[in-house]
Amino acid sequence: MDIALEFCDTYFFDYVFAKTFPAPLLPYSFDGASNSTIAGLKAASPWQYKPATSFMYFTPRNVAHMSELNRDNIYRQALSLFLIMWFAGGALYFIVSTLSYIFVFDKTTFKHPKFLKNQVRQEIKQASNTLPIMSLLTMPFFLAEVRGYSKLYDDLGNEPFKHYNYLQFPFFILFTDMFIYFIHRGLHHPLIYKTFHKPHHKWIIPTPYAAIAFHPVDGWAQSLPYHVFPFIFPLQKIAYLALFFVQVWTVFIHDGEYVANSPILNGAACHTMHHLYFNYNYGQYTTLWDRLGGSYRKPNEELFRRESKMSQKEWERQCKEMEQRVKAVEGEDDRSYGPSETVKKSI
């Protein structure tokens, strides 16, 4: 995350902090600080520029030395990382979810008896409320990384053993997949399910916007494996940034496009089984841990044919079992379903 922080410092935060926390008693203006003033600021500053990575450089402007809070200030770093997580995470969520909603999501889903009234709006509202809190909870991990407490490395030659630069990708996926499985399954425990995980299970038939429409503690808990990994195992910095984008998988498994009829891959069809029937398919990327844990449920073949997955017969079958599951797991169903449910709540 130090690479992202350096980029944002150079093009945004340096100006913000120079304006809001200016270096004291130094007569300068943003449009014409004297060379002697700048030289004095640089000489007096305990912070000296060192690139976060050897693969790219974001050379600091003079304004980088014009704040009382230099780039190494822990409070400035904490605030900056929080804002990066909030706004960059939100931008990634809205861009990927919207593209999936426009080009992938089947709008016929709106007619499903278990699609909620104003569901898309509710999903977006829930996600928007979650983002700042989850960013605040996640920020300490990134702060520790930036301050050098992780095992992130920059030089490819610093790999711990031969070919690790390649092996770190599947290793990261397998590690996170395993721990997300156990965390997710734990969130279904009756003692904590209704408080922390039920908000995400409000969406029986999710849209791409449901990807992070959950309780912030739920989202934070399931993100922990991503953030813990580089404190336990070496991880190359650029690889870590690239792996951050595996988060888009969370959108894909909520888009309702059942392409991957795979016994290995935990695709949208597998995750739909989870939203419909609750206690199956807790995995994130693969079905491995569900198979080992006895929680795997193979998606119905009807889901892979559009004419059958959107048929009244399939929907009736889904609703019948889903209502039994809701009663067993949650008790009374307190969801408010869409227009087709106005007169009769369930089929």
Side-chain angles (χ1 to χ4, degrees):
M1 189 53 71
D2 54 353
I3 299 174
L5 181 60
E6 182 182 315
F7 175 84
C8 292
D9 274 334
T10 302
Y11 297 105
F12 180 70
F13 288 126
D14 283 341
Y15 295 91
V16 172
F17 283 101
K19 191 72 174 178
T20 54
F21 298 96
L25 304 177
L26 290 174
Y28 62 81
S29 63
F30 285 105
D31 55 353
S34 69
N35 290 335
S36 59
T37 300
I38 297 300
L41 285 169
K42 288 181 179 180
S45 175
W47 171 77
Q48 298 298 320
Y49 175 63
K50 180 180 179 183
T53 175
S54 59
F55 293 95
M56 61 188 77
Y57 298 88
F58 305 105
T59 305
R61 276 75 165 163
N62 288 335
V63 73
H65 301 275
M66 294 181 179
S67 174
E68 185 178 16
L69 301 182
N70 65 61
R71 289 190 185 183
D72 283 340
N73 183 279
I74 190 170
Y75 301 107
R76 168 175 167 165
Q77 289 175 338
L79 178 59
S80 299
L81 289 166
F82 164 67
L83 293 173
I84 291 171
M85 277 297 300
W86 184 0
F87 291 104
L92 182 64
Y93 161 72
F94 280 109
I95 291 170
V96 177
S97 297
T98 300
L99 290 173
S100 178
Y101 180 79
I102 293 171
F103 297 109
V104 179
F105 181 68
D106 191 334
K107 310 306 185 292
T108 309
T109 305
F110 294 152
K111 299 178 182 179
H112 195 289
K114 297 304 177 184
F115 196 83
L116 304 187
K117 184 183 293 184
N118 300 320
Q119 179 171 316
V120 173
R121 187 183 303 170
Q122 290 186 62
E123 289 171 339
I124 292 173
K125 181 180 179 181
Q126 178 71 55
S128 299
N129 291 337
T130 290
L131 275 165
I133 302 172
M134 198 168 78
S135 299
L136 186 63
L137 293 172
T138 304
M139 177 271 294
F141 291 97
F142 290 131
L143 184 62
E145 286 174 19
V146 166
R147 299 189 73 81
Y149 294 102
S150 73
K151 294 188 177 183
L152 291 170
Y153 64 93
D154 183 49
D155 190 339
L156 295 176
N158 290 334
E159 60 181 345
F161 55 83
K162 192 175 181 181
H163 304 309
Y164 184 83
N165 287 326
Y166 302 101
L167 294 173
Q168 63 184 328
F169 293 98
F171 187 28
F172 181 89
I173 297 296
L174 290 171
F175 176 90
T176 54
D177 190 46
M178 176 179 69
F179 281 99
I180 288 173
Y181 170 83
F182 288 108
I183 292 168
H184 190 180
R185 188 161 187 168
L187 285 163
H188 277 258
H189 191 282
L191 290 177
I192 60 176
Y193 169 78
K194 288 187 177 181
T195 300
F196 296 116
H197 198 50
K198 183 181 175 181
H200 187 62
H201 272 277
K202 180 178 183 178
W203 331 113
I204 301 297
I205 304 296
T207 80
Y209 291 108
I212 60 170
F214 38 44
H215 190 289
V217 173
D218 179 356
W220 173 77
Q222 293 197 62
S223 74
L224 281 176
Y226 298 104
H227 307 305
V228 168
F229 185 94
F231 290 94
I232 303 175
F233 305 103
L235 190 61
Q236 204 278 331
K237 287 183 177 182
I238 303 296
Y240 186 43
L241 283 180
L243 285 165
F244 182 77
F245 286 91
V246 300
Q247 302 294 343
V248 302
W249 182 258
T250 307
V251 174
F252 297 157
I253 61 176
H254 290 92
D255 65 15
E257 188 62 24
Y258 310 133
V259 176
N261 187 7
S262 167
I264 299 172
L265 202 62
N266 182 60
C270 280
H271 200 66
T272 292
M273 293 290 101
H274 180 73
H275 274 267
L276 280 168
Y277 310 128
F278 295 82
N279 296 325
Y280 302 97
N281 300 349
Y282 299 103
Q284 182 76 352
Y285 305 113
T286 74
T287 63
L288 172 63
W289 292 98
D290 280 299
R291 290 178 182 277
L292 293 174
S295 54
Y296 175 68
R297 176 165 174 167
K298 188 178 186 297
N300 303 335
E301 290 296 327
E302 289 81 0
L303 295 180
F304 299 98
R305 298 189 299 272
R306 189 182 187 283
E307 64 277 7
S308 58
K309 82 171 184 177
M310 294 297 181
S311 69
Q312 190 69 22
K313 181 179 179 181
E314 175 65 12
W315 286 355
E316 288 176 356
R317 190 194 61 73
Q318 290 175 358
C319 290
K320 183 178 179 180
E321 183 176 353
M322 167 262 167
E323 288 166 1
Q324 294 172 348
R325 296 286 179 182
V326 167
K327 188 173 182 180
V329 174
E330 298 179 358
E332 186 68 25
D333 188 357
D334 57 3
R335 296 168 181 81
S336 178
Y337 297 103
S340 62
E341 298 296 310
T342 303
V343 178
K344 190 176 181 181
K345 190 173 183 180
S346 61
I347 290 180

